[in-house]
Amino acid sequence: MTTDSRPTQGRARLAVPFILLVFLLIGSGLAVWLSVTSSKLHVGPEGVVVYNVPDLASASSTVSGKTVDGISCRTESKEVVKYHVHVHVTIYFNGDMQRLPAGIGITPPHAVEQYPQGPFIDVGIYDCLYWLHTHVPDGIVHVEAPSKQSFTLGQFFDIWNQPLSKGQVGPDKGSVVIFENGKRQLEDPRMVPLIPHGDIQIDVGSPIVPFQPFAFKVTGGCGAGTNSCSSGAG
């Protein structure tokens, strides 16, 4: 008597693409928490993965143009960039991923550039741009300053006009744990530095998601070291 092995073989064939996807994600440095599936991500106009998850809060709460923590808001014509680096920020609330929205640190009306990979929010002729800002909901914080200097996560949240403390991140409330480049930060969350190519993970509530390393390289006219910020995407 023989046993029909076709169902088992079918399941094995179905598992192969999933296994390959896992290896590809790990190989590219994208360690994805189990609550985010491959169908919920795509590569955006900065060449960085964008996850289809909720925004932590709206970018519309950005301060309206006044100087914040010594950081000014410059119009496109007055923007001077001598120091340009990127930091990636991911948020987890009770284990579920959230993201930074596009347009933090850019006052309305925004200039919206449309690309096949998605929209790119930029400064227009009637608005202004803070030195710390986001263009795409891919987690990339752009640090574009007139000189090399140190900035903190607290300054970024102040520009966004969202709370950041040991017990709250934006509207999310709970115990806050922050990792940067895999190391747990023990200081006040507001004092976490925005270092060049930093990889920051913010956990609010429980469970604490193990640090998920994220490899990224911003491409186009907004790459590190450029003195302007048009995406240059095709």
Side-chain angles (χ1 to χ4, degrees), residues 132-209:
L132 311 178
H133 57 268
T134 64
H135 292 285
V136 179
D138 53 11
I140 298 296
V141 175
H142 290 256
V143 178
E144 299 175 23
S147 62
K148 185 177 180 180
Q149 51 192 288
S150 299
F151 298 99
T152 66
L153 195 61
Q155 289 175 302
F156 175 70
F157 271 77
D158 286 347
I159 289 169
W160 191 8
N161 201 22
Q162 291 289 336
L164 176 65
S165 67
K166 293 182 178 180
Q168 184 172 0
V169 178
D172 296 346
K173 296 182 178 180
S175 180
V176 174
V177 173
I178 298 182
F179 300 92
E180 184 163 28
N181 293 346
K183 183 179 179 180
R184 183 165 176 169
Q185 303 296 297
L186 301 178
E187 69 253 30
D188 183 342
R190 295 183 50 79
M191 300 307 297
V192 172
L194 300 180
I195 62 176
H197 217 77
D199 184 8
I200 295 174
Q201 178 178 312
I202 304 172
D203 286 274
V204 185
S206 63
I208 297 174
V209 176

Side-chain angles (χ1 to χ4, degrees), residues 32-57:
V32 183
W33 185 240
L34 294 177
S35 63
V36 180
T37 66
S38 62
S39 64
K40 292 186 177 181
L41 57 87
H42 70 278
V43 176
E46 295 188 303
V48 178
V49 168
V50 177
Y51 292 101
N52 184 24
V53 296
D55 293 339
L56 170 63

